[in-house]
Amino acid sequence: METLLETLSKLKESGIILSDYTRLSTKEMFAQPIAINRLIRSLGDISGKPVAGIDVNKLYGKVTAAVKGKNKTIEFSHKEARCFPVLLSMAKDNNEVIRFLLDHIDFQKSASFRRAVNAYFNIYADNNMAVSSLGKKIRAALAKNHDLIHAVPYLRGHENFLSEKGPYYLADYITEGVLAFFKDNPLFPNFFPWTLFTKKSIILASIKNSQNDTQEMNLFREIAHTDSYKNLVPRLAENAIFAVDKGNDIHYRNELLFELNKAMGDPRDDNQAYHWADVNPKAVEIYLYWRKRTDLDLFFNIISQTTVRDVSADKMWIYRKRFWENYLRDMKYTRVVLGPEAEKIANRLYRSKIPSYARLERCSPLQSLFLCSIGNYVFLEVSHNGSVRVYRMGEAPIPFFEKAGYRRTYSYTDVTQANYVYKKAHLHSETDSWQSALRRWIFEHCRANGMY
């Protein structure tokens, strides 16, 4: 921990004037260094919060009335005028309101300048006239009187955050992590990490990281596990997918699959696809291939764990996996259904690899099912010497999607007794007989040859 003298030296170098914020009691002046840092943060927060007792919606209505000239005698109290920087976020592209608010902010007054700067970071947005106009006013005021920077001491050394490229400069600092930067720079007020300005910088940092899967995953992990940043996950998904695909690290892939499924669901599900609307289609394609690959691997890997006492099944599953791998790119939907013992194995060995699955009952404890769709047909693969069954789309006994977060249980008896259009038993794997027959059926009915 730094000494009190070191802390005070830093404060002096920063140009901070504590009296700009509030009067300090004698007790506060003898605070420990960490307490002083905490005090500075909290004092900086004062001008970043709404003014107590002011209804901003009513105040905005009063401002618009004044702009329209409906009441020439409208006057605003000092307390109301303090809210004008915040009202800019409500003005959007209304030129008259924006001009009125900016004309009534005294940018050469330290307190007003500080509130304007804090509002700028809080309401930051691209291509927003109010934000752009406010930024120009702030930069002009600072160019006229550079001593105003003392009103926002956290910007000492970071004045470039106020430039038009401000979010890019912050992005350079948070490439390795967001909260670590603010921890290392204690003068930043408590509200700053959660501003729209910081969130824009996080997106830019993600773009910078997209060539390095480790940096990208470190940033993505922090965003996904920080409640106030979770809404940014869809904005980072594309960069994370491209970076992990390029790095080809299976552990990152599994983690990303799990986290994206938790945050955004399955893009093939009509009820969740809107989460993926702004993600590059190529990134979505990569993600879906991962999901299909994971479902297929999970199904056959669990079979490999459960066939140690069944020589014939153990010998057969290798051929079956190889067969379906050839059709991965032809598949659109996939799903795994696990029997009781298979579910235990999955939760013990593959917990972080399971985006979603359903449960199977009235079956042998080791039984599992793999569903996939090719063309207009659904294929149901059964483990342990079972037969593959084919259904028309919409007529399969198990759907591909359930209500989000819900795992339904299906009866193996009901599933195997449902009407199907084709069935093929997996016999004599070594002779390739069932593979040829099934491959021929898929080509004739689905126009897919499984050759990539």
Side-chain angles (χ1 to χ4, degrees), residues 73-336:
T73 63
I74 292 180
E75 294 183 357
F76 296 91
S77 67
H78 173 69
K79 195 174 184 179
E80 289 176 324
R82 287 169 58 193
C83 294
F84 281 6
V86 176
L87 296 183
L88 284 165
S89 65
M90 305 171 70
K92 297 181 180 178
D93 292 334
N94 190 322
N95 267 323
E96 291 182 318
V97 172
I98 293 172
R99 193 181 311 112
F100 178 91
L101 292 171
L102 293 176
D103 287 345
H104 287 77
I105 298 174
D106 185 356
F107 286 90
Q108 289 300 316
K109 188 175 181 181
S110 292
S112 297
F113 182 80
R114 181 169 60 250
R115 282 193 294 271
V117 170
N118 290 341
Y120 175 76
F121 291 127
N122 269 312
I123 69 175
Y124 189 89
D126 290 328
N127 304 316
N128 183 289
M129 189 176 298
V131 172
S132 176
S133 300
L134 178 58
K136 290 178 181 178
K137 285 281 190 177
I138 290 171
R139 290 189 287 273
L142 195 57
K144 183 178 181 180
N145 178 13
H146 194 263
D147 286 342
L148 286 170
I149 198 65
H150 298 318
V152 279
Y154 58 88
L155 290 182
R156 294 287 293 188
H158 299 293
E159 293 178 37
N160 52 9
F161 288 4
L162 288 173
S163 71
E164 292 185 64
K165 296 292 185 180
Y168 290 87
Y169 292 113
L170 177 55
D172 289 337
Y173 288 105
I174 64 176
T175 298
E176 297 294 336
V178 185
L179 301 182
F181 168 76
F182 294 106
K183 183 179 179 180
D184 293 338
N185 292 271
L187 292 183
F188 278 87
N190 292 320
F191 71 82
F192 202 95
W194 322 115
T195 61
L196 293 176
F197 179 88
T198 299
K199 292 179 178 180
K200 169 66 176 180
S201 299
I202 290 172
I203 296 170
L204 294 173
S206 175
I207 295 173
K208 290 171 66 70
N209 287 349
S210 60
Q211 299 302 312
N212 185 307
D213 59 345
T214 298
Q215 287 185 345
E216 186 67 48
M217 282 304 298
N218 285 340
L219 180 61
F220 178 87
R221 194 177 292 120
E222 182 175 17
I223 300 310
H225 295 167
T226 303
D227 288 342
S228 296
Y229 291 145
K230 284 182 178 178
N231 65 319
L232 294 179
V233 169
R235 304 289 300 277
L236 270 61
E238 177 180 314
N239 299 319
I241 290 170
F242 283 140
V244 171
D245 183 58
K246 182 178 180 180
N248 199 31
D249 186 307
I250 190 170
H251 300 292
Y252 287 157
R253 188 196 74 180
N254 291 337
E255 181 181 0
L256 193 58
L257 271 171
F258 189 82
E259 294 296 341
L260 288 178
N261 181 70
K262 184 169 63 175
M264 302 170 63
D266 191 327
R268 298 169 296 184
D269 185 352
D270 291 339
N271 294 319
Q272 298 177 319
Y274 69 94
H275 291 300
W276 295 83
D278 296 325
V279 179
N280 185 304
K282 179 62 178 178
V284 177
E285 181 183 339
I286 292 171
Y287 175 78
L288 290 178
Y289 182 82
W290 289 349
R291 288 199 67 139
K292 294 183 290 186
R293 172 93 257 179
T294 299
D295 283 342
L296 186 68
D297 287 346
L298 176 66
F299 175 73
F300 284 107
N301 287 346
I302 289 178
I303 291 178
S304 71
Q305 297 284 330
T306 59
T307 55
V308 291
R309 296 185 299 273
D310 189 337
V311 177
S312 61
D314 187 49
K315 185 172 58 175
M316 187 180 296
W317 75 267
I318 299 175
Y319 297 91
R320 291 157 64 188
K321 181 181 182 182
R322 192 175 300 152
F323 176 86
W324 289 113
E325 282 177 334
N326 292 329
Y327 288 95
L328 267 174
R329 296 195 180 278
D330 294 307
M331 298 176 189
K332 182 176 182 180
Y333 303 112
T334 55
R335 194 179 191 191
V336 176

Side-chain angles (χ1 to χ4, degrees), residues 340-441:
E341 191 63 31
E343 183 179 11
K344 291 179 182 178
I345 294 172
N347 286 328
R348 185 173 70 250
L349 301 178
Y350 308 103
R351 179 181 295 275
S352 63
K353 293 180 61 174
I354 310 174
S356 62
Y357 65 89
R359 295 187 173 98
L360 195 64
E361 65 177 5
R362 296 182 184 178
C363 58
S364 72
L366 302 177
Q367 195 70 271
S368 296
L369 306 174
F370 173 70
L371 279 80
C372 68
S373 71
I374 302 176
N376 294 319
Y377 292 89
V378 176
F379 297 77
L380 190 149
E381 175 74 285
V382 182
S383 66
H384 292 77
N385 293 323
S387 300
V388 63
R389 292 171 173 79
V390 185
Y391 310 85
R392 289 187 176 85
M393 186 67 77
E395 297 179 3
I398 299 176
F400 284 104
F401 304 106
E402 306 280 2
K403 184 179 179 181
Y406 180 68
R407 283 199 177 112
R408 184 175 170 183
T409 300
Y410 296 90
S411 166
Y412 179 70
T413 303
D414 293 343
V415 169
T416 54
Q417 290 181 355
N419 293 328
Y420 50 83
V421 297
Y422 180 77
K423 177 181 177 181
K424 184 64 181 176
H426 297 307
L427 301 174
H428 310 298
S429 300
E430 297 89 337
T431 65
D432 201 39
S433 60
W434 68 264
Q435 288 99 319
S436 298
L438 184 53
R439 187 178 292 110
R440 188 182 309 111
W441 194 95

